[in-house]
Amino acid sequence: MSFVDAVKTCVMEKYFFKFEGRARRSEYWWFALATGLLSCALQMCGKWGAILGGIATLALLPATWGVAVRRMHDIGKSGWALLVSLIPLVGAIIVLVWSCKDSQKTENQYGPSPKY
């Protein structure tokens, strides 16, 4: 999946709390890059940029949660597994490792593999 496809999928097609299905690594990481770049660009615009960055972060929160849950589905975990990230430091590392794992090759309870 390309950068543009990933952002379009997350923002236009599956924006508002779409937790069904699976998201490939590329979709997850391209969307993470897009939101990070947007945040950095807005932060560099001074005081108003910081305010707009906060608004953009809140506006993209449903899409961010949705793609993260679909990413967990792609590796065969429930979206609730993201609550592990609430454990200081260790939780973030665990979620990072899970996010980097390859997709399950076979169909799982969340649907067919978008990759294979």
Side-chain angles (χ1 to χ4, degrees), residues 22-33:
R22 296 165 65 167
R24 292 179 59 184
R25 275 186 300 192
S26 58
E27 180 182 349
Y28 178 80
W29 288 111
W30 281 126
F31 185 70
L33 177 66

Side-chain angles (χ1 to χ4, degrees), residues 96-108:
L96 177 67
V97 169
W98 286 343
S99 299
C100 293
K101 284 179 69 173
D102 196 13
S103 303
Q104 282 187 332
K105 294 181 181 185
T106 58
E107 184 172 337
N108 64 19

Side-chain angles (χ1 to χ4, degrees), residues 3-18 27 31 59-60 62-64 70:
F3 178 81
V4 174
D5 290 338
V7 173
K8 189 166 75 170
T9 298
C10 291
V11 175
M12 299 294 194
E13 298 170 14
K14 299 179 179 179
Y15 173 73
F16 197 72
F17 298 111
K18 278 284 208 165
E27 180 182 349
F31 185 70
L60 290 172
T64 303
R70 290 191 312 273

Side-chain angles (χ1 to χ4, degrees), residues 31-54:
F31 185 70
L33 177 66
T35 56
L37 290 175
L38 176 66
S39 179
C40 287
L42 290 173
Q43 292 292 328
M44 292 190 302
C45 294
K47 180 176 126 179
W48 289 107
I51 292 170
L52 287 175

Side-chain angles (χ1 to χ4, degrees), residues 67-105:
V67 74
V69 168
R70 290 191 312 273
R71 180 70 199 123
M72 292 297 107
H73 289 174
D74 195 41
I75 62 170
K77 297 198 177 303
S78 168
W80 292 104
L82 288 170
L83 292 177
V84 158
S85 66
L86 297 175
I87 302 169
L89 189 61
V90 175
I93 293 169
I94 291 170
V95 171
L96 177 67
V97 169
W98 286 343
S99 299
C100 293
K101 284 179 69 173
D102 196 13
S103 303
Q104 282 187 332
K105 294 181 181 185

